[in-house]
Every structure is written in C-alpha cells, then in structure tokens.
Amino acid sequence: MAQRRMISKEIHQNGAYINLPPVTKILYDDLVLYADDDGFCTDVTLINLMDKATDENYKQLEDNNLVIKLDGAYLIVDWLNTEQLTHYKRTSLLNLSAQVFIRTDFRYTIDPNDENIALSLDDWVERANRSRKINLKALQQQRLQQSVNKMDTSGKHNVNEKDTKCSPSIDKNSIDKSRLGQTREDQNSTDQKNLNKCVYTTTSSSNGGMGETTSYRPTESDNQSDNPEVLIAKINRVMATSIPHDDKRLNALFSDLLNQYKAEYVKRGLSKLLTEIQDLKGQPSIIHSMITAHLLENVKAVTTERTE
C-alpha cells in the first residue's frame, strides 16, 4: 500500500468541505491518508485518538457525501478523482468491494439503483485493469438499456403463484390464528420443507425472442451445509462453470453473509440470483461478477420475505 496520498484542492474548495467544522475537515484528510489503495479506511481508532473525532464528525462527512459508512470501514467517495496510483495493491476487504459501484463522474456509490452507475469497482479493477480511458458514459448507457430490456421483454424475472409449485415464504392469508401462535422453530422447519419442494422459474429470450422457460429446483445437497465451498460447488453445478472452490472473493463474500444471515437465507438468495441469470450459463467471469455485485441484495430480499 502506498505511503503517500494526494489531497485534492478541488475537494477543499468545494462548499460541502468549506462549511465543515475544523475537526471534521482534519478527519476527512486523515481518512484519505490512512485509506488503502481502493479508498477503504479501517484505522479509525488511531484517527480518533489523533483528531478527537466523534460520531457527529463522521456523520457530517456522510451527510455531505464525502465518505460512505460500511461494515467496519469508511469509503472515500472521491477516491478515484483524487488518487492515481502507480504502485497499486488490491484491498483485502473483498466483501465490501463487491458492494461498490463507480459512477460516470468516477465517484463511488453503494446504491445499485443509481442511474449514473457505469460499472462495479470489481469489474473496473479486474476486467478494465483500472483504465482511466474507459468510456464510463457508454457503459452507463449500456447498463440502463439492459435494465429497460429486462423490464420490457419476457426475459424479466417472474416468480409468482402461477410460475412456482410453491412459495418459499409463509402465506399470511392461508394460516389461521392457531398457526400464528407457533414457535419460530416450527416455522423455520415448515419453511425449509417448502423450500426443498420449490421450483424457481424464469422466462428468458435467449432463443431468439421466443421465450424459453428455465427453472432451478434446490437439491438436497444444497441444504446440507453452510460451507462457502459447497455454495461455490452449487454455482458450478447450476451454471455449468468451474470456479475454483478456494476463490478468495467468493469465499470472503459467502463467509461474511453467513455471519450476518441464516444459512437458509443465503442459500435461498443464491438460488434466486442463479435463476435470474440463467442466460449467462457457461460464462464464469460474468457470473462471478454478478454474484459478487448482486448476491447481497437477493439475500436481503428473501430475508424480508421471510420476516414479513
């Protein structure tokens, strides 16, 4: 990791920065100084001792969109506009990196619905080789067009009562008051049995627009372990890939999710995502990028379904 950092005069002259209290300004500069080569800073304990910074100072930086708070780290939003490194070392926070996107103005965002997103940070590092000459505007337009196509064609994801043989979540309208009083353990057991029977179905346009229906049924082996290597084996089996079982980024991503969510939700979120990207079968690099970029949102979605 580099030992020197650039401080942007453009940032210091920006109204969002100028109006900050002195301690918050110093805090921002120190976060830049101690960030790794992708803009993630985890050394906040040392910084707080030096700057006497409080939670309010960090909140001021977040409110002015100068930093993004992540799990155990802060991300410098304008990092790519400030630092141009000749000796670069990839961040070790791969689970956080998978959540970050690059906008057309070379600023970071973690909002996957931001219309100005050009590509993910991981794609920029691994597929674009951190090129500054990449046409971000063209990538943004391509991304928006893909979103439009997904909404306007028969290839959009469609999981509903007509397309599935069961629902992975509990039907509130079909249970009576006595079942509402059941314990959480009973509900989890019932939900897992339903999951084993369920078929996720999607309709694609990969056969020239005729609409080809594909489905994925979770197998017994999918429910036997919460080991990241088993989840990678599942990806290879369903998507006809050969991703190494010790893939560092996927292992880090799965381990992080399994620490935050029940294994059942992680596996259901993965099944949901694999159904949505069936058209990419046999394309390991793209599948890998889609999983690292979108698995978290799918896990959150099935978690919300289960708790509603």
Side-chain angles (χ1 to χ4, degrees):
M1 187 173 69
Q3 299 300 310
R4 297 180 180 87
R5 296 300 185 204
M6 300 291 291
I7 300 296
S8 171
K9 184 168 70 174
E10 182 178 350
I11 297 294
H12 277 224
Q13 293 175 340
N14 185 283
Y17 182 91
I18 290 175
N19 295 323
L20 293 174
V23 172
T24 307
K25 291 178 180 177
I26 296 172
L27 173 62
Y28 176 79
D29 288 346
D30 280 343
L31 288 173
V32 172
L33 177 62
Y34 284 90
D36 65 22
D37 288 353
D38 282 310
F40 296 93
C41 182
T42 58
D43 296 329
V44 294
T45 302
L46 175 61
I47 292 174
N48 292 341
L49 287 173
M50 294 189 301
D51 300 343
K52 308 298 182 186
T54 65
D55 291 342
E56 180 62 25
N57 298 124
Y58 284 96
K59 187 175 185 303
Q60 290 167 348
L61 293 178
E62 292 180 65
D63 291 344
N64 285 278
N65 200 27
L66 291 171
V67 303
I68 297 172
K69 184 178 181 180
L70 298 169
D71 184 17
Y74 285 89
L75 178 65
I76 310 300
V77 172
D78 285 286
W79 182 260
L80 299 181
N81 289 316
T82 305
E83 311 298 328
Q84 299 190 23
L85 307 175
T86 54
H87 301 287
Y88 167 80
K89 181 180 179 181
R90 187 76 166 103
T91 184
S92 61
L93 306 174
L94 298 180
N95 57 322
L96 300 184
S97 175
Q99 304 174 33
V100 180
F101 299 91
I102 298 174
R103 292 163 37 98
T104 54
D105 54 5
F106 258 115
R107 304 187 84 208
Y108 283 147
T109 180
I110 59 171
D111 179 7
N113 297 317
D114 190 328
E115 293 186 353
N116 292 305
I117 289 176
L119 75 171
S120 68
L121 172 59
D122 289 346
D123 281 348
W124 185 66
V125 171
E126 297 188 0
R127 299 176 63 189
N129 295 318
R130 302 177 63 249
S131 172
R132 295 278 175 169
K133 298 179 180 179
I134 190 171
N135 189 335
L136 295 180
K137 193 66 178 179
L139 290 174
Q140 178 227 13
Q141 293 300 317
Q142 180 181 354
R143 182 184 178 90
L144 290 176
Q145 187 60 48
Q146 289 174 346
S147 297
V148 171
N149 291 343
K150 188 174 182 180
M151 294 297 295
D152 292 345
T153 69
S154 60
K156 72 177 181 178
H157 183 222
N158 184 21
V159 176
N160 53 40
E161 292 181 356
K162 294 181 180 180
D163 290 331
T164 60
K165 297 181 180 179
C166 68
S167 172
S169 60
I170 297 176
D171 185 353
K172 295 181 180 179
N173 296 323
S174 65
I175 56 178
D176 56 26
K177 293 181 180 179
S178 62
R179 288 193 62 191
L180 286 174
Q182 289 181 330
T183 63
R184 178 170 294 274
E185 288 77 11
D186 290 339
Q187 292 178 353
N188 287 342
S189 176
T190 300
D191 193 63
Q192 185 61 52
K193 291 176 182 177
N194 288 338
L195 174 64
N196 293 340
K197 301 175 183 176
C198 185
V199 175
Y200 291 94
T201 304
T202 185
T203 304
S204 69
S205 55
S206 60
N207 60 339
M210 294 298 292
E212 176 185 358
T213 300
T214 58
S215 62
Y216 167 65
R217 180 191 297 274
T219 64
E220 182 179 354
S221 61
D222 291 335
N223 302 313
Q224 291 178 344
S225 175
D226 56 4
N227 189 308
E229 293 184 4
V230 173
L231 297 176
I232 293 174
K234 172 179 177 177
I235 296 169
N236 289 332
R237 183 176 67 255
V238 175
M239 302 302 292
T241 56
S242 56
I243 298 172
H245 66 87
D246 58 350
D247 183 278
K248 290 184 178 180
R249 190 190 307 168
L250 288 183
N251 270 273
L253 175 62
F254 286 136
S255 296
D256 184 63
L257 290 175
L258 290 168
N259 285 332
Q260 296 183 56
Y261 300 91
K262 291 183 178 180
E264 171 194 344
Y265 298 156
V266 176
K267 288 179 281 191
R268 287 176 60 186
L270 180 60
S271 296
K272 182 175 183 291
L273 178 57
L274 295 182
T275 301
E276 293 176 347
I277 61 174
Q278 279 290 308
D279 285 347
L280 301 177
K281 184 177 289 188
Q283 303 180 58
S285 61
I286 300 178
I287 292 170
H288 190 286
S289 297
M290 291 294 291
I291 291 172
T292 54
H294 299 293
L295 180 57
L296 175 61
E297 63 194 68
N298 280 272
V299 173
K300 288 182 177 179
V302 298
T303 302
T304 301
E305 289 176 7
R306 181 62 182 83
T307 55
E308 284 182 348

